[in-house]
Amino acid sequence: MENCATDQWLRLPYDILLRVFHHLTPRDLAECSLVAHSWYIALRDNLFWKNHFIDKWGTTLNKSDDQEDVPASWLAEYAEFHRVSNIQPWLTLRVHTDEVLHVAFSHSGRYLATSSRDCTVVIWMVSPYSRKSVTILGILTSDSWGYAMKAEFNQSDTYLAVTTSAANETRDERGIISIYHIPSLTYVSNTYTFPRDTYGAWFGDHSLVTSHYNFNEAVTDVYLHELSRRYVSRDRLIFSEDLNRARCSIRMFSVAREPRNFTEVFLFYATSYADDNRLIHTHVIRCIKFAHSEAPPQRDGGLATAPQVGESRPHDNNPPAAESPEPVSEVAGILEQYHCCVGGSIVGIESDITARTVLVNYRPWVDESRTTIGQDLIIKVFDFEVNLLWSVNAGKALTDSDSFFLLFPSSCYPYFYSSDEMGSIRVFDYRHRTCLCEKEEHEDVVSVVKASPTNPNFVVSVSDDHTIKLWEIPAQKPVPECL
């Protein structure tokens, strides 16, 4: 009887067999492929895995005219998505005593910086031999800070720019960007932004882009803060944003470089403006393409060694003639500029390092004529390589228009990450434009999720629950090679 039942299973029609397989888990399918040669052949069917993939995650590739992104093997695509969707937290760090607002990796993946409302920035060292070895390099703080909003490493990982608000007791409405040397963590220079919740960004290896709202002319001036070898920094105006003379404010920047032409810099920034009665606010994403050149970064011997804490900055009216020239940042001019209006309040912006895409996280208006904000978070993806614009649902927001949180998306091609105010993180795929998974491990708002630039399987998230969670994407494929 048992042999008869087995023979009946083996003689099932091909279409019915695939329908049965469709309800099994990947592990069960792997075991079924070892039962009989006919089942093994059935489970190698590319159309079966395509339908299995679409039913679980969905895809937009069938709607695209570009067939280059269509996977050659839907089984391999399914296995890869299954692997990434199994991302799990393996360590929770509790160092900050208040909300953790931002996290940033160095370009080498060796350092990690977390910024918190407790007025500290913690610099972590990630071991190159074991990604599970994370130690504290140092903690930055200052009496002049109100709270630390963001930290960012320059391209050569020799400097760290810390964006903070001024201390409340000073009643200063300006923001402070302090620059520290890496890895000595000694103070180098600082500049100011206005208003206080404005974020700067590295424009070159020795230059920062910042903004300052000009009340007299109702425009925002964008400056380049440049470091010289003697730490005598200077601020240089590169352009002004007026948007038809409306009240204009720039709050955040993102910078990317064209990989095939390193002298071209893409400056993405989010700006909002209002009419004279301040009744209607419009949020705009603008992109300006600059021709930019700078002396190549030198890790050993470029800029002078950073002064130690409490030590005066070096001053010499007659420097030796043999010294290397100062790193000079040259902005030759604006090559292109374009913008796109966003029907909502922009709460985060991030571009990938290749300047191919920029991610804009925003909360759509319920009514275009009012500033009431809905509870959906939308990420609008601008793909400049194929001139395409598309959107995904990035989560939920619980706060009103007067107290919403800044939530920065992050890119690690072919995936990108988002977070929301309910404590969850999401992983998306660029090619299929779909969400792979959603994980709820934090107890409060998750501000940023970042993947290491040198190890995409190492991911970090920070939250208002005062914690830093380290995540790991399994390296091995859950679907055995027998499939």
Side-chain angles (χ1 to χ4, degrees):
M1 293 294 293
E2 292 182 0
N3 292 334
C4 181
T6 302
D7 291 340
Q8 290 178 357
W9 273 102
L10 295 178
R11 293 174 182 175
L12 281 176
Y14 189 78
D15 293 342
I16 296 179
L17 191 62
L18 293 182
R19 287 179 179 269
V20 175
F21 287 160
H22 188 74
H23 298 281
L24 301 182
T25 65
R27 181 63 58 184
D28 293 335
L29 293 173
E31 294 177 355
C32 288
S33 67
L34 302 176
V35 172
H37 182 71
S38 60
W39 287 17
Y40 173 81
I41 296 299
L43 287 173
R44 302 292 296 183
D45 189 290
N46 202 41
L47 182 60
F48 166 77
W49 286 105
K50 177 181 178 180
N51 294 332
H52 207 40
F53 181 96
I54 293 176
D55 287 345
K56 186 169 184 178
W57 290 293
T59 183
T60 59
L61 290 182
N62 290 337
K63 302 176 183 179
S64 174
D65 294 332
D66 186 6
Q67 299 298 318
E68 294 182 359
D69 290 334
V70 176
S73 170
W74 283 95
L75 170 59
E77 195 79 353
Y78 186 97
E80 172 65 11
F81 268 47
H82 192 75
R83 180 186 73 88
V84 176
S85 62
N86 281 335
I87 179 175
Q88 295 294 334
W90 54 267
L91 182 61
T92 300
L93 304 174
R94 302 180 185 272
V95 176
H96 295 284
T97 59
D98 208 334
E99 302 168 359
V100 190
L101 304 178
H102 198 270
V103 61
F105 275 98
S106 64
H107 292 77
S108 64
R110 185 179 179 185
Y111 302 108
L112 189 68
T114 55
S115 309
S116 172
R117 197 175 286 274
D118 64 5
C119 198
T120 64
V121 175
V122 179
I123 314 300
W124 306 81
M125 284 195 66
V126 181
S127 171
Y129 307 105
S130 173
R131 59 182 177 277
K132 293 191 176 182
S133 176
V134 181
T135 57
I136 296 179
L137 176 65
I139 300 178
L140 301 175
T141 188
S142 174
D143 294 336
S144 62
W145 295 355
Y147 59 91
M149 300 187 295
K150 178 186 177 183
E152 183 182 358
F153 295 89
N154 68 340
Q155 293 174 359
S156 61
D157 297 337
T158 53
Y159 293 98
L160 179 72
V162 179
T163 302
T164 65
S165 66
N168 293 331
E169 55 269 17
T170 64
R171 296 183 180 180
D172 192 345
E173 292 299 324
R174 297 180 300 175
I176 304 172
I177 300 181
S178 305
I179 303 173
Y180 293 86
H181 183 266
I182 298 295
S184 65
L185 302 185
T186 50
Y187 172 80
V188 175
S189 175
N190 74 295
T191 186
Y192 296 93
T193 62
F194 186 83
R196 63 192 301 170
D197 57 348
T198 300
Y199 295 77
W202 286 103
F203 190 80
D205 205 52
H206 305 101
S207 57
L208 281 163
V209 59
T210 63
S211 66
H212 194 283
Y213 181 72
N214 189 329
F215 274 106
N216 296 329
E217 299 183 10
V219 299
T220 293
D221 296 327
V222 178
Y223 291 90
L224 212 58
H225 180 76
E226 299 172 317
L227 294 175
S228 69
R229 62 178 292 106
R230 291 301 179 180
Y231 299 106
V232 181
S233 58
R234 61 175 180 173
D235 291 313
R236 181 155 57 94
L237 179 68
I238 54 176
F239 72 94
S240 295
E241 180 72 272
D242 57 9
L243 290 177
N244 298 324
R245 310 299 296 176
R247 297 181 183 273
C248 172
S249 176
I250 296 177
R251 296 301 176 93
M252 59 191 74
F253 295 94
S254 185
V255 177
R257 289 182 178 271
E258 169 61 51
R260 294 176 294 272
N261 186 358
F262 200 71
T263 61
E264 294 183 358
V265 179
F266 293 83
L267 176 64
F268 304 97
Y269 58 96
T271 180
S272 64
Y273 65 94
D275 60 8
D276 293 336
N277 297 323
R278 304 183 71 85
L279 295 177
I280 300 178
H281 293 256
T282 303
H283 287 242
V284 176
I285 289 296
R286 294 182 68 99
C287 175
I288 296 183
K289 185 178 178 181
F290 288 93
H292 174 256
S293 61
E294 185 177 84
Q298 301 180 20
R299 295 181 182 270
D300 299 314
L303 291 176
T305 304
Q308 300 298 318
V309 177
E311 182 180 325
S312 60
R313 296 180 185 174
H315 179 74
D316 187 358
N317 293 328
N318 298 303
E323 290 185 348
S324 58
E326 295 184 2
V328 179
S329 179
E330 294 292 342
V331 180
I334 298 176
L335 301 180
E336 299 176 17
Q337 57 179 327
Y338 38 90
H339 72 275
C340 179
C341 293
V342 176
S345 178
I346 297 174
V347 297
I349 178 174
E350 177 79 10
S351 59
D352 66 3
I353 58 175
T354 64
R356 170 175 176 169
T357 60
V358 59
L359 306 173
V360 181
N361 197 7
Y362 74 99
R363 301 173 61 172
W365 307 126
V366 174
D367 188 338
E368 291 292 343
S369 63
R370 300 168 55 196
T371 57
T372 303
I373 297 180
Q375 291 188 339
D376 287 328
L377 288 168
I378 305 295
I379 289 185
K380 195 176 288 289
V381 182
F382 297 84
D383 193 327
F384 295 98
E385 187 165 298
V386 294
N387 194 23
L388 194 63
L389 172 65
W390 48 279
S391 303
V392 293
N393 191 316
K396 291 291 183 181
L398 303 177
T399 52
D400 56 26
S401 59
D402 297 326
S403 57
F404 62 84
F405 296 90
L406 293 180
L407 308 171
F408 291 90
S410 65
S411 177
C412 185
Y413 199 86
Y415 307 110
F416 64 94
Y417 299 83
S418 75
S419 58
D420 65 13
E421 296 182 9
M422 300 185 69
S424 66
I425 72 169
R426 298 188 183 193
V427 185
F428 296 89
D429 180 78
Y430 276 111
R431 298 162 299 164
H432 298 275
R433 306 176 205 169
T434 186
C435 179
L436 277 70
C437 64
E438 179 181 359
K439 303 289 183 177
E440 297 182 4
E441 296 290 340
H442 286 282
E443 299 176 357
D444 209 333
V445 177
V446 181
S447 301
V448 188
V449 184
K450 286 275 189 180
S452 169
T454 56
N455 180 15
N457 295 332
F458 178 33
V459 181
V460 180
S461 63
V462 296
S463 170
D464 285 7
D465 61 10
H466 307 180
T467 65
I468 305 164
K469 286 189 180 293
L470 308 184
W471 302 71
E472 182 180 29
I473 299 175
Q476 71 280 4
K477 293 184 177 181
V479 180
E481 291 298 329
C482 61
L483 280 179

